[in-house]
Amino acid sequence: MLFLNPIIMSCSINLFCLPPAGSSASIYYNWNKYTDSKINIVPLEYPGHGRKIREPLTDQPQEIAQRFYEEIKAYSNQPFGIFGHSVGGSVLWHLEEKLKADTCYDDLKLLAISGRPAPKHLQHMAQKSQLTDQQLIQEVRSYNNFPEEILNNSDALNFFLNILKNDFKLSDNMLHDRPTQTHKPLLTLHGIDDPFIQNSQMMADWQAYSHQWLGHHALPGDHFYFLNHDTLLEMLNILSKHLT
């Protein structure tokens, strides 16, 4: 049950999930197996990724936010939350701005940012879109769960690097964002061993961007902490508690 017609959905709340750089919506496909029965996971896909692989890539956050806004509108009159991991945590804010102009914004119940430091920390990050191919390969090797079969296949690797370069450019385009403080509930999460987040304060500083701060959660694992089954269950329990 991944892409149901929104008209026939019986769940009480949707959780739209924005993927990290170099990934696709498939990273969220199994979450519905473990969520509260009242929550439906709806993975959103970037152009040029996964099931939208035939569409042109884009590194423009406004364009992506517009596409996601139109997809969310199809689920009208249903409460929802938005979860963004890594680069998805920045796209989330552009998406919220699009939603504010629509009545469906009233149905937004939760913003959840995962593995993406607060703006004052992002502005000091190096621009990864400037990395060479070899540096990009070293970058992805730092992700413990990156599949070796891609690294060992030149055609697959070149295809992936093209997507990753686009996504890193997308990320770089948002490093100096200054999101407007939201009135929606906000929480953050990250993996304790995330190599890109030196301490929990880098995530807790998102508190300054919401009038309804729900706190930060540091969970076992690295950047892709939720790929661990037990940690995924813990994370989904946190999200469910605030969504239902």
Side-chain angles (χ1 to χ4, degrees):
M1 188 179 71
L2 297 177
F3 302 105
L4 295 181
N5 185 326
I7 295 176
I8 62 173
M9 282 187 181
S10 60
C11 65
S12 60
I13 189 163
N14 296 308
L15 180 62
F16 296 97
C17 297
L18 284 56
S23 186
S24 73
S26 63
I27 200 169
Y28 301 123
Y29 282 179
N30 71 329
W31 285 18
N32 268 319
K33 298 177 183 178
Y34 309 112
T35 55
D36 185 294
S37 60
K38 296 179 181 178
I39 298 172
N40 182 63
I41 302 297
V42 185
L44 298 179
E45 191 79 270
Y46 297 128
H49 297 61
R51 61 190 175 87
K52 294 182 180 178
I53 197 66
R54 296 185 181 276
E55 299 180 12
L57 292 165
T58 177
D59 56 26
Q60 298 302 305
Q62 290 291 338
E63 182 179 343
I64 293 173
Q66 179 65 32
R67 296 279 293 274
F68 286 169
Y69 158 67
E70 291 168 358
E71 291 183 40
I72 289 176
K73 278 190 65 177
Y75 294 76
S76 58
N77 302 317
Q78 285 184 282
F80 66 96
I82 304 173
F83 172 92
H85 180 64
S86 198
V87 70
S90 284
V91 174
L92 175 149
W93 292 98
H94 291 266
L95 175 56
E96 190 202 12
E97 285 301 315
K98 296 288 184 184
L99 291 165
K100 285 179 180 178
D102 196 281
T103 54
C104 69
Y105 185 65
D106 293 338
D107 295 321
L108 176 56
K109 306 303 180 186
L110 179 68
L111 299 173
I113 299 175
S114 169
R116 186 72 166 178
K120 74 176 186 179
H121 302 289
L122 284 179
Q123 63 182 329
H124 301 299
M125 288 178 60
Q127 296 199 5
K128 294 183 179 181
S129 61
Q130 304 300 317
L131 298 177
T132 66
D133 285 0
Q134 285 304 312
Q135 289 172 326
L136 284 171
I137 292 171
Q138 287 303 116
E139 181 78 12
V140 299
R141 284 187 184 279
S142 69
Y143 303 138
N144 293 334
N145 296 284
F146 191 81
E148 283 293 326
E149 55 266 29
I150 292 181
L151 292 173
N152 296 326
N153 183 310
S154 59
D155 290 338
L157 181 60
N158 288 334
F159 181 79
F160 171 74
L161 288 179
N162 185 49
I163 292 175
L164 189 61
K165 289 174 184 177
N166 174 86
D167 293 0
F168 279 170
K169 179 62 175 176
L170 169 66
S171 177
D172 290 349
N173 287 339
M174 297 184 289
L175 291 182
H176 297 283
D177 281 356
R178 290 293 178 269
T180 303
Q181 191 175 35
T182 183
H183 287 272
K184 298 296 183 177
L186 171 68
L187 65 81
T188 58
L189 314 101
H190 90 292
I192 296 171
D193 298 318
D194 190 326
F196 309 111
I197 300 176
Q198 287 73 48
N199 56 73
S200 292
Q201 194 59 44
M202 294 175 71
M203 296 297 299
D205 284 340
W206 277 112
Q207 179 176 2
Y209 292 86
S210 176
H211 292 285
Q212 296 191 61
W213 174 243
L214 299 178
H216 172 65
H217 301 269
L219 302 174
D222 56 19
H223 190 62
F224 291 101
Y225 61 92
F226 50 76
L227 294 180
N228 176 276
H229 179 73
D230 290 340
T231 305
L232 173 62
L233 295 182
E234 184 178 355
M235 185 203 72
L236 291 175
N237 183 58
I238 292 167
L239 295 175
S240 296
K241 180 177 69 173
H242 293 291
L243 281 168
T244 59

